[in-house]
Amino acid sequence: MSDIAADQARVWLITGCSSGFGRELVRAAVAAGDRVMATARRPEVLGDLADLGQGRVGTTTLDVTDSASIKDAVEATLAVHGRIDVVVNNAGNLLFGAVEGFSMDHLRSQMDTLFFGAAEVTKAVLPHLREQGSGTIVQMSSMGGQVTFLGFGAYHAGKFALEGLSQTLARELSPLGVRVMIVEPGAFRTQINASKIVTPVPEAYHGSVGAFRTAIDSIRGQEPGDPAKAASAIVTAVHSGNPPLRLVLGGDAVDGIRAELASRLQEVADWEELSRSTDAAA
């Protein structure tokens, strides 16, 4: 089933449009002839995007940690554009710190944004997509939804959880004409590294987590990925009518995820005999 008639512009609802991927996705969707509801916790920062759209971009408040805000944003999109064809769960932030060092409140806050917020936006839009029998849910995950790095434990927890939920959702929605695409970017020149929340690193981890923080700080603003090119690739995949379940973006992500998957397969093979020995006797 086609997402939408070929002669009809898609309507996008995008979270976290104040900077980075969200802002570039608005531009890319408009350039492709689509209409967008751009959202942010402070929609006043989106005025230039509304001007760019020449009537095809609306703006509204959406805080993914506020249920009422999510409901209002979905209703506002339907009121302005009459439908939703693509929802992009892009809003996010980064908590950096050793697992032993960050608090449970830190972890819950990270999960609220990366996982529960995306899940609630998705659930708010699903009835409309099901009724249409079409649509695409774009989940902005990360290379960090497949590969782990020192100090990113809370971030990985949110992205791994989002990927598990989304892969299941994709299977549930496929018979209903609705698609799910999980996007896994590598390191891109967005604000997430510069604006990360850093928790105190316990002394035992100074040589590992602390050293890795120094390394990622040193590449700030010099990351290999271009957000505008990433946004264009996402729009291209959505417009293809048959987007992949996972869209990897950036050479570093391709290399890193490929190596991680190869390592997992090798470990399964190395321990296969012991693994199979636990089957019940026939």
Side-chain angles (χ1 to χ4, degrees):
M1 182 181 297
S2 172
D3 274 342
I4 192 170
D7 61 349
Q8 185 178 0
R10 289 169 175 81
V11 174
W12 295 62
L13 170 61
I14 306 174
T15 70
C17 295
S18 60
S19 65
F21 291 127
R23 180 168 283 268
E24 294 300 338
L25 273 168
V26 175
R27 293 190 175 111
V30 169
D34 290 343
R35 294 176 287 158
V36 181
M37 180 61 82
T39 74
R41 286 180 297 175
R42 295 186 299 110
E44 62 270 17
V45 304
L46 307 177
D48 62 315
L49 294 177
D51 294 340
L52 169 74
Q54 296 181 331
R56 286 188 290 135
V57 176
T59 63
T60 194
T61 303
L62 200 162
D63 179 347
V64 299
T65 65
D66 183 326
S67 298
S69 174
I70 292 170
K71 180 176 180 292
D72 289 347
V74 171
E75 290 178 352
T77 306
L78 293 170
V80 171
H81 295 297
R83 61 184 291 129
I84 298 172
D85 300 294
V86 186
V87 59
V88 184
N89 282 303
N90 170 71
N93 57 13
L94 169 62
L95 172 70
F96 182 90
V99 173
E100 187 177 344
F102 58 67
S103 69
M104 292 307 297
D105 284 343
H106 281 130
L107 178 59
R108 290 188 181 96
S109 177
Q110 182 79 116
M111 295 295 290
D112 278 344
T113 300
L114 299 186
F115 176 65
F116 290 109
E120 189 161 4
V121 171
T122 298
K123 285 173 64 63
V125 176
L126 276 177
H128 308 285
L129 303 184
R130 280 195 298 100
E131 185 176 348
Q132 290 170 183
S134 66
T136 305
I137 298 165
V138 179
Q139 308 285 40
M140 293 298 294
S141 180
S142 166
M143 175 185 182
Q146 295 280 340
V147 182
T148 60
F149 299 95
L150 293 165
F152 282 69
Y155 183 80
H156 292 314
K159 295 303 187 183
F160 271 60
L162 180 63
E163 294 217 5
L165 181 81
S166 301
Q167 184 166 334
T168 304
L169 182 64
R171 297 182 65 182
E172 293 174 352
L173 292 178
S174 180
L176 305 176
V178 180
R179 297 180 172 87
V180 176
M181 184 170 75
I182 303 165
V183 181
E184 297 174 333
F188 277 74
R189 295 177 188 179
T190 68
Q191 292 300 309
I192 194 167
N193 188 11
S195 62
K196 65 183 177 291
I197 302 163
V198 180
T199 60
V201 176
E203 185 175 356
Y205 301 96
H206 282 183
S208 55
V209 177
F212 191 68
R213 179 193 171 186
T214 300
I216 61 173
D217 283 348
S218 71
I219 66 166
R220 193 161 55 206
Q222 303 175 58
E223 294 88 351
D226 181 335
K229 291 181 178 179
S232 179
I234 292 167
V235 172
T236 295
V238 169
H239 275 249
S240 74
N242 187 30
L245 173 60
R246 285 181 168 84
L247 178 64
V248 181
L249 297 178
D252 58 336
V254 171
D255 294 341
I257 291 174
R258 178 178 284 145
E260 175 67 21
L261 295 177
S263 175
R264 290 185 204 173
L265 285 172
Q266 186 60 54
E267 190 169 60
V268 171
D270 291 345
W271 290 89
E272 182 175 3
E273 183 177 354
L274 181 63
S275 299
R276 290 187 182 278
S277 74
T278 61
D279 291 345

